[in-house]
Amino acid sequence: MLDIDETAISAIKELTDAAGVAPRGGLRIARTPDQRFDLSIAARPGGDDEVVTSEDGARVFLEPRAAEVLSEKVLDVRTDDDGRFHFGVYPKL
């Protein structure tokens, strides 16, 4: 299962609040046809999405192909100088 680190939890909460979809909304991660990841803020998970919820209530919705690739990974985020979030996924240590 995907782990969500503290910085990603804060970013997800900020994004879902700003989009007006908190507390039931979350960050949705899906695989694209070219094997990349598409991230979006969603009001609810897709019908067959895996839902990962942090202890603090941040939610990530994983499309099935994304869930398969991201199991045993950690979702992290960095903020650039302009305040934009850049999500990354790393192996669990």
Side-chain angles (χ1 to χ4, degrees):
M1 178 183 291
L2 178 72
D3 283 347
I4 311 168
D5 79 2
E6 292 299 319
T7 58
I9 290 169
S10 294
I12 292 166
K13 286 183 163 189
E14 185 174 330
L15 291 168
T16 55
D17 284 345
V21 298
R24 297 192 185 276
L27 176 71
R28 185 167 194 270
I29 304 174
R31 289 297 294 264
T32 63
D34 63 354
Q35 303 305 310
R36 295 177 183 245
F37 293 101
D38 179 51
L39 280 69
S40 60
I41 297 300
R44 61 186 147 285
D48 54 355
D49 285 357
E50 178 180 315
V51 178
V52 179
T53 305
S54 74
E55 290 181 13
D56 295 340
R59 294 165 40 114
V60 176
F61 310 139
L62 298 170
E63 173 267 334
R65 292 178 299 149
E68 182 179 324
V69 174
L70 297 177
S71 68
E72 303 308 315
K73 302 279 193 271
V74 178
L75 181 66
D76 185 25
V77 70
R78 301 284 185 249
T79 306
D80 67 16
D81 293 336
D82 295 323
R84 291 181 298 225
F85 297 120
H86 297 274
F87 286 90
V89 179
Y90 306 98
K92 288 183 184 179
L93 298 177

